[in-house]
Amino acid sequence: LSPVAVWAHGSLGGGDYRPGRSDLDLIAVLRRPVTRAERRRLAALHRRLTNGLPLAARLHCAYPVAGEALADPARPHLAWAHRRLLHPPVTEVTRCELHRFGVVLSGGPPAELLPEVTDDQLAGFVVRDLREYWRPAVRRERLWRQDVWVDLGLLTLARASATLRTGALITKAEALDALTTELEAPAEVVADIRRRRYGDPVPVSRRWAARRAALTTGFLGPAIDRLVEDPGF
């Protein structure tokens, strides 16, 4: 596909990457849209990588097309994530990560191809994401028995809080500290997340999964409501 540029963002760009635990977030900017046959070959390539390389299971790669299509933050683009082809947008948060600490793996820097995101655009996206995605998800109690929902839900809240208050994009390590010192999240749950990301994870019992879900949703729902209503609380 001869990408114009390949960039890394997320934990790798922000300096908090943990091999085997962090996602590897890449952007490969293309000159033109891929054909149907190329989509099939691209999916097959990713499956071979996933089957042959342990770290490739956490490889997420978006394939936006350079030009007008890439200028629109709401425009969906082909991407490989969670072991399948998807069509998510390159969000305002991702764009800010790329401009602030993106890693250039090939081609030119993000500033040459990607429009800047204003503070208002970034804050608007963060509020919409909390209100329209995470707040309804809190009501689906069964989701919160899974590690991934607990981890992402609380870390997203802490990172969103920092962005809305100061404009900063903090790491997951910084988000864990903020959950304890600033947001007063349940200490048991924060310790559980920290152990899974930085320590030695242990199997989750049914009893703990149920208690953790109740603690998480009981905290997260009201915390999202406060943050959306008053980002400076």
Side-chain angles (χ1 to χ4, degrees), residues 125-161:
F125 169 80
V126 169
V127 169
R128 288 194 305 274
D129 187 51
L130 290 173
R131 180 185 292 137
E132 298 173 10
Y133 182 81
W134 288 104
R135 190 59 179 91
V138 170
R139 303 185 187 100
R140 301 170 62 188
E141 192 272 342
R142 293 182 65 181
L143 294 177
W144 301 93
R145 293 174 182 255
Q146 302 174 50
D147 294 347
V148 65
W149 280 89
V150 173
D151 295 0
L152 287 180
L154 290 185
L155 292 171
T156 295
L157 173 75
R159 299 174 92 177
S161 177

Side-chain angles (χ1 to χ4, degrees), residues 28-120:
V29 183
L30 306 182
R31 292 178 171 80
R32 57 170 178 79
V34 300
T35 65
R36 183 175 299 179
E38 286 169 337
R39 282 199 299 271
R40 289 196 297 267
R41 287 159 51 197
L42 188 62
L45 170 63
H46 275 288
R47 291 189 186 100
R48 289 198 301 273
L49 287 173
T50 301
N51 292 334
L53 300 171
L55 293 183
R58 291 186 172 273
L59 171 62
H60 298 172
C61 189
Y63 294 93
V65 178
E68 185 177 342
L70 186 55
D72 181 4
R75 180 79 170 262
H77 300 278
L78 183 67
W80 176 267
H82 309 296
R83 299 175 183 264
R84 64 186 187 275
L85 289 176
L86 302 169
H87 289 83
V90 179
T91 70
E92 288 85 346
V93 169
T94 295
R95 291 163 184 263
C96 282
E97 289 181 351
L98 287 166
H99 278 288
R100 296 183 190 185
F101 49 74
V103 178
V104 177
L105 303 176
S106 175
E112 292 182 357
L113 297 168
L114 198 66
E116 290 273 5
V117 175
T118 67
D119 291 343
D120 286 345

